[in-house]
Amino acid sequence: MLEALERVRPALARMLDRTAQAEATSLASLARSVRLSSFHFHRMFSRALGETSKQYGLRVRLARAAAALLRSRATILEIALEHGFANHETFTRAFRKRFGTSPRAYRRRGLLGVSPDAAPALADRNDAVVAEVAPCVGLYRAPASSSPSHPTSTVVPAEESPMSQNREITTQLVPEQHVLLMRRKINLAEIASALAEILPRVFAYAQEIGAPMAGPPFTRYLQMGPGFCTLEAGVPLASECPGRDDIVPGELGGQRVATTVHVGPYDRLSETYRELEQWMEEHGVQSAGAPWEQYLTDPAEVPDAEQWQTAVFWPITDG
């Protein structure tokens, strides 16, 4: 999948350019930009992103436009044009289909559960999170190889990892934060595919209800077993918001944790979890809850998987 993503990455830059004209982001034009036929580009793009280029472009533009409606005082037409829509009518029709309401009603409702005094700062934060996450929300945990891995298994010995000897582990108190999440019990080999389905759903629902997103998506590992795991994945929020169906509210943090930043492909995250376990043993502390990770790098924009950054947190208590 990463090979396909790397091949179509130059086309992504065009699609994410808010000022790009429609003809510059047509299937034929995008295919020419990466020297592929329209047929092969369509197939490769769908393989890499899990949706067609048309679906991807429309979804990202609408996500960013929705966040802009809550942050900016620009007119709806100005926001429509800024995000690549030809006119007010086209934007309104697409927006209503995506979010179930008009841009005007969406803006009037504002951020859910947010006081007027806090709204400007939280709207800015929400806009920044949406701008960063929308292009890659289905790509987190994408494997760099075909080998399945899971958080606490040994995939590559730590002594063989070029990054393992340079990782700094610290402790901190993580404030409690509201989240929206989905919970699944899955086979270990299904982590990437499960998150590719869960995170876009939670992200889209949060935007639909105007939940103020406050940070990058996370995955928390509640239980690990031989060949399976139970995980929770979703998005952090600045206020408590209701769930729907299997998307439920929850909390993250409110605990002292051992934490570090994993640098490299998601396939090697198991090294970092193992190092945290070793650090806890050496420092006389014990696990006090389920570990979680947050995705700091946009895989759609950073071509080198060795540069991807993932923050890892493990709740601890004194032994």
Side-chain angles (χ1 to χ4, degrees):
M1 193 212 77
L2 287 181
E3 292 83 358
L5 178 61
E6 179 63 22
R7 189 72 172 89
V8 303
R9 194 183 304 277
L12 283 175
R14 283 191 175 201
M15 300 178 69
L16 298 177
D17 182 354
R18 301 183 188 190
T19 64
Q21 298 299 311
E23 57 269 20
T25 56
S26 67
L27 177 62
S29 178
L30 293 171
R32 286 196 300 271
S33 72
V34 293
R35 299 182 179 180
L36 290 171
S37 69
S38 295
F39 172 79
H40 284 97
F41 176 80
H42 174 82
R43 186 175 64 175
M44 192 166 288
F45 191 98
S46 298
R47 178 187 172 195
L49 279 300
E51 53 194 330
T52 68
S53 58
K54 182 177 180 179
Q55 291 169 334
Y56 175 86
L58 179 62
R59 175 182 62 77
V60 172
R61 288 186 290 130
L62 285 171
R64 289 177 166 178
L69 284 168
L70 301 176
R71 175 192 56 81
S72 171
R73 293 187 177 182
T75 68
I76 292 175
L77 177 59
E78 289 170 337
I79 289 175
L81 296 175
E82 179 187 355
H83 291 84
F85 293 90
N87 51 57
H88 186 288
E89 292 73 19
T90 300
F91 174 56
T92 298
R93 186 165 54 249
F95 192 95
R96 187 184 295 276
K97 184 176 181 180
R98 177 73 176 174
F99 296 108
T101 189
S102 69
R104 187 177 304 278
Y106 187 87
R107 167 179 269 176
R108 187 184 305 119
R109 185 184 63 191
L111 287 169
L112 190 64
V114 172
S115 68
D117 290 342
L122 295 183
D124 285 344
R125 179 56 176 155
N126 179 72
D127 183 76
V129 171
V130 170
E132 182 175 348
V133 172
C136 56
V137 69
L139 296 177
Y140 296 118
R141 266 294 191 162
S145 70
S146 58
S147 302
S149 64
H150 58 89
T152 57
S153 68
T154 302
V155 177
V156 178
E159 62 269 21
E160 296 179 13
S161 168
M163 304 302 300
S164 62
Q165 303 303 318
N166 301 317
R167 211 171 343 255
E168 180 184 7
I169 297 175
T170 61
T171 62
Q172 67 180 74
L173 178 63
V174 177
E176 186 173 79
Q177 191 164 40
H178 297 292
V179 298
L180 281 171
L181 60 86
M182 292 175 65
R183 181 181 295 178
R184 292 282 176 82
K185 182 176 181 178
I186 58 173
N187 293 329
L188 293 176
E190 297 173 340
I191 291 178
S193 59
L195 294 186
E197 187 262 331
I198 290 172
L199 292 178
R201 279 190 58 194
V202 177
F203 180 84
Y205 172 68
Q207 273 217 296
E208 179 186 330
I209 66 173
M213 285 183 268
F218 72 92
T219 301
R220 177 163 52 188
Y221 299 95
L222 300 180
Q223 183 181 14
M224 301 298 300
F228 73 90
C229 72
T230 300
L231 59 77
E232 294 176 333
V235 294
L237 305 177
S239 67
E240 187 175 11
C241 293
R244 184 174 68 196
D245 300 329
D246 54 351
I247 300 174
V248 298
E251 290 79 35
L252 189 69
Q255 299 162 288
R256 181 171 168 243
V257 301
T259 182
T260 190
V261 175
H262 169 87
V263 181
Y266 302 127
D267 306 69
R268 295 207 303 260
L269 269 163
S270 57
E271 302 169 30
T272 300
Y273 282 95
R274 189 179 68 173
E275 288 181 37
L276 281 168
E277 287 183 296
Q278 293 174 339
W279 182 93
M280 288 189 286
E281 182 177 350
E282 292 168 1
H283 288 77
V285 297
Q286 297 179 350
S287 171
W292 75 89
E293 60 200 35
Q294 283 189 283
Y295 308 108
L296 307 181
T297 303
D298 178 353
E301 294 186 355
V302 178
D304 185 0
E306 294 293 337
Q307 298 180 26
W308 293 352
Q309 296 189 18
T310 307
V312 179
F313 306 87
W314 201 315
I316 57 173
T317 187
D318 292 334

